[in-house]
Every structure is written in C-alpha cells, then in structure tokens.
Amino acid sequence: GKLGWAPRHRFEDALAAVLRPLEFAARDGFAHLERVQDLPRAVKLSMEVVKGERADYAEEHRYRAAEGGWKWLLSRGKVSERDADGRAVRMTGINFDITARKRAEQAVRDAEERYRSLIEMAPDAVVVFSGGIIEYANPAAARLAHLDSPKPLVGRKMEDFVHPEHLAQFRERLAYLSAGPGTVEIEERRLRRPDGSEVVVETASASYLERGGVLVQSVLRDVTDQRRVRDALAERVDLLATRLDR
C-alpha cells in the first residue's frame, strides 16, 4: 500500500512538472489527482493486474499538474513481486508525458471537423470513394443526383453514374488515381442520375493515402446549362458559316 519513488535518471522539466504531484499522492492517494472520467478504468486495470487477471497494464489518463490544469500520462505497470500465497506485494511502473501528442491529435481532429463542415456547406458536389465505391457524398452531391440526402449514394459504385460514352475514360482515370497519390485536372463528363436523367459536369479529382489505403476525392459542378448554351452557339456559328458559303 506504499508508494516508492526511485528515479534512475534526471527528469526533464516538463515531465517533472507532471510527476511532481505524485509526491502528494504517496500521502493522500491518487484519486484526487485523477480525472473523474478516467479514474474507474485506471483503477479497474490496475486491480486486474494485482489479482493476476492480466500480466500488465497500459493506460492513457489525465492527472492534475502541480501548476494547475490537466496533463496526459501513459502509465505502464506490472506486479514485480508476490508473496507465497500469490498476493501482490510490489508493483513497478513508469509514466510517460504524452500531453503534446494528445494535443496534436486533438488539433488534427479539429481540423478534420472544420474541413468536413466546409465540405458540407460547399455549393459543388464532393464525393469520396475507395476502390470505386462511394464512401462519402456531401449534400450538394445529393442535389446533383436529384436525391433528398446523400445516403443512397454511399456504398454505390461511382461508375454506376457515369454515362457509357465516358465510362472507358473514367476507368482509366480511376486506375491512375488508385495507384497512388495523384491528381486529374478539370474535365467534362456526362453522368446519369438514379432517376435516369442526365447531367453534364466539370470534375477534378485527387487521390491521397489514408487509413492504409488510397482514397479518391472528386469535385463536380453542374455545367449542363452552360453546355446547352455553348452547343446552341456553336450550331448558330455553323449555320451562319454555311449561309456565307452559299
């Protein structure tokens, strides 16, 4: 039931600031230093080690720092000595300050959430797919497909929506992007909506590594009306050229 303190090396200032409160824990116990949300699991793991239900434990949890506030520790420990009846009489362990790592992880999560919020509000359709299967589509993609929500798009093959005349080109682009990080510049493509109607889009794509695989993100903008205007203008120019030739 006693806490022994046996430093073998000089602690860096940052780590010492985290571990200094443990001097008080030796007298008053750890509970007042442990974050309330983390305490039950920390106690459970250490007791399982004491009872011999597991060989050791490794747990990330928060402790109140001497200067105030909370810091993250990675604690590892095991029973190093038992009596003749198998009862734990000595535990040894080590604590690592992982506050910087935790802050970095939270910063990444915050950045991802901000990016996702921007994509959700984007006026252009955004689709993310892996192996040709759609994993994410934003609300603008649902509107482009004449759907009430993006859910019906998730799990579908991206090529299911590509017009047959552009299917070979799409497969070529997909093979290139799936081979590793890369980009495909803006190009025009004809798509078919689930209701059978067609739409002309300008699309650009990029692939990147994530979760041990390659994800492809495509941005699509409806240019059907612009295409009609352009085709009508080209038809008038051809008609005018024909009349002048006469």
Side-chain angles (χ1 to χ4, degrees):
K2 296 183 179 180
L3 176 68
W5 192 257
R8 297 177 59 187
H9 302 282
R10 177 181 173 274
F11 289 106
E12 296 292 338
D13 292 342
L15 184 56
V18 177
L19 298 181
R20 196 175 300 118
L22 300 184
E23 298 172 6
F24 300 99
R27 182 183 69 247
D28 302 326
F30 286 91
H32 74 290
L33 297 175
E34 184 85 35
R35 193 69 175 255
V36 174
Q37 299 95 318
D38 301 341
L39 183 59
R41 176 169 172 79
V43 171
K44 178 177 180 293
L45 288 177
S46 61
M47 289 306 299
E48 287 177 354
V49 174
V50 169
K51 293 177 182 179
E53 296 174 0
R54 62 168 63 223
D56 52 27
Y57 70 87
E59 174 70 1
E60 296 178 355
H61 47 162
R62 289 158 287 186
Y63 273 91
R64 188 182 298 280
E67 69 275 14
W70 297 92
K71 291 197 174 185
W72 279 95
L73 294 182
L74 168 59
S75 295
R76 297 180 182 274
K78 64 180 181 178
V79 173
S80 55
E81 184 179 344
R82 295 183 182 272
D83 62 19
D85 296 323
R87 291 177 298 187
V89 295
R90 183 184 297 272
M91 289 188 69
T92 56
I94 188 169
N95 295 284
F96 300 94
D97 183 356
I98 58 171
T99 307
R101 192 197 83 194
K102 283 292 188 178
R103 287 175 178 167
E105 291 173 351
Q106 185 61 51
V108 170
R109 287 193 292 269
D110 292 343
E112 289 176 344
E113 184 59 33
R114 288 193 295 270
Y115 177 74
R116 188 180 184 90
S117 296
L118 290 173
I119 294 299
E120 290 285 306
M121 296 184 296
D124 292 331
V126 178
V127 179
V128 178
F129 48 99
S130 177
I133 305 299
I134 298 173
E135 294 189 359
Y136 168 81
N138 69 346
R143 293 192 294 271
L144 181 67
H146 288 177
L147 296 171
D148 295 330
S149 80
K151 289 183 179 180
L153 296 174
V154 177
R156 294 283 302 275
K157 289 183 177 181
M158 189 65 189
E159 70 174 39
D160 290 345
F161 305 101
V162 178
H163 193 278
E165 70 181 35
H166 288 154
L167 190 56
Q169 182 193 54
F170 169 78
R171 288 173 175 169
E172 178 186 340
R173 301 288 191 269
L174 179 60
Y176 164 73
L177 292 169
S178 298
T183 59
V184 172
E185 299 298 328
I186 295 175
E187 59 186 10
E188 197 170 271
R189 185 172 297 149
R190 187 181 298 275
L191 303 179
R192 280 184 172 173
R193 299 184 174 102
D195 62 10
S197 62
E198 296 183 0
V199 58
V200 179
V201 301
E202 284 183 344
T203 179
S205 301
S207 60
Y208 50 93
L209 299 176
E210 186 172 301
R211 302 193 303 271
V214 178
L215 293 181
V216 179
Q217 179 172 298
S218 294
V219 179
L220 307 97
R221 175 173 295 178
D222 185 352
V223 294
T224 306
D225 292 339
Q226 293 94 312
R227 177 64 182 270
R228 289 197 188 106
V229 171
R230 192 173 66 210
D231 289 348
L233 181 60
E235 186 177 342
R236 286 174 177 247
V237 170
D238 289 343
L239 180 59
L240 179 59
T242 301
R243 288 178 177 177
L244 289 176
D245 288 341
R246 292 176 182 176

